Amino acid sequence: RALAASLAVVTAAMATSRDFPGGLLPAAAFVVPPHPFGARAAAGEALGSEGGRGEYSYEPLPWALDVTVPEESIAEVMQRITGVDSFWRENEGSLGREVFRDRIKGLAGGAQLDDRAIDTIFNAFTGGTYWLTKRGDIAENIRGWRSASGAPNPGTVTGSVVGARLQVIGAWLFLNVFSSFAAYFIIFRPILCVNFGIDLLP
């Protein structure tokens, strides 16, 4: 019975891995959470989205590994955000990534903003997750962006951006690498040792 169960699990895992390049599930398949405020809030999020979608598509791991976003592009995004009220309505409990992007672009007055820079600021707020939920903390962070001259300083968000990158990479490694080793040691290793005398990692 144990052998049959293990074979069933292996078969399912192989069938799943064939659907993705390299046999590993993409991080986006795991790290996109449901809306924290339920289906009604998610529906409102869709209605609140302004503007069309372009070619750009956010992917967590590629963003975390991309360190080529110019500071100037990040500063341009920061310049458009004068305060939390400029993009987040007071009666909204949370704000999604796509709505945030649309609203920041709406503040640009036709100027082209780097989508990667917008996601960088968003992830600086959220730590790499998909929803803004702590409005008060974000408002305080924004107030600390500007130097004495009034210009936004990208260096003020560097620590938050690095932390977000590490969290995204850590989540991807856990879901795609560490979990495989854990599955072997907890499930497959005892079955192989007991039934076949095989230990792949003695």
Side-chain angles (χ1 to χ4, degrees):
R1 291 180 181 177
L3 178 60
S6 65
L7 290 174
V9 173
V10 171
T11 301
M14 292 176 64
T16 301
S17 64
R18 281 197 299 269
D19 295 334
F20 298 92
L24 293 177
L25 293 175
F30 296 96
V31 299
V32 182
H35 196 290
F37 293 90
R40 289 182 60 189
E45 196 80 344
L47 293 173
S49 178
E50 295 97 1
R53 299 285 180 258
E55 294 294 329
Y56 176 82
S57 177
Y58 172 76
E59 295 292 340
L61 186 62
W63 171 83
L65 298 176
D66 181 10
V67 294
T68 65
V69 183
E71 282 196 353
E72 294 79 6
S73 298
I74 296 175
E76 288 178 7
V77 174
M78 298 170 71
Q79 182 67 43
R80 268 62 184 189
I81 301 176
T82 57
V84 71
D85 292 326
S86 63
F87 63 89
W88 192 347
R89 298 162 190 155
E90 190 172 358
N91 62 348
E92 293 175 319
S94 63
L95 200 68
R97 182 181 299 276
E98 296 299 334
V99 176
F100 176 81
R101 180 182 295 116
D102 289 342
R103 291 181 181 175
I104 298 304
K105 287 184 176 181
L107 296 173
Q112 294 296 319
L113 298 179
D114 189 334
D115 286 288
R116 299 174 303 159
I118 296 175
D119 276 318
T120 297
I121 293 298
F122 185 91
N123 286 341
F125 289 150
T126 66
T129 64
Y130 272 74
W131 297 98
L132 298 175
T133 56
K134 299 180 179 179
R135 195 175 190 277
D137 292 345
I138 292 172
E140 184 176 349
N141 289 339
I142 294 172
R143 285 193 289 269
W145 279 0
R146 284 168 168 74
S147 60
S149 64
N153 179 11
T156 59
V157 299
T158 299
S160 299
V161 172
V162 171
R165 293 187 193 279
L166 293 176
Q167 288 195 64
V168 170
I169 293 171
W172 189 91
L173 288 173
F174 176 79
L175 292 167
N176 291 284
V177 179
F178 302 144
S179 60
S180 300
F181 283 99
Y184 171 73
F185 279 106
I186 296 173
I187 300 174
F188 300 115
R189 189 182 189 194
I191 295 172
L192 292 174
C193 288
V194 171
N195 293 280
F196 303 101
I198 299 174
D199 190 354
L200 300 178
L201 296 173

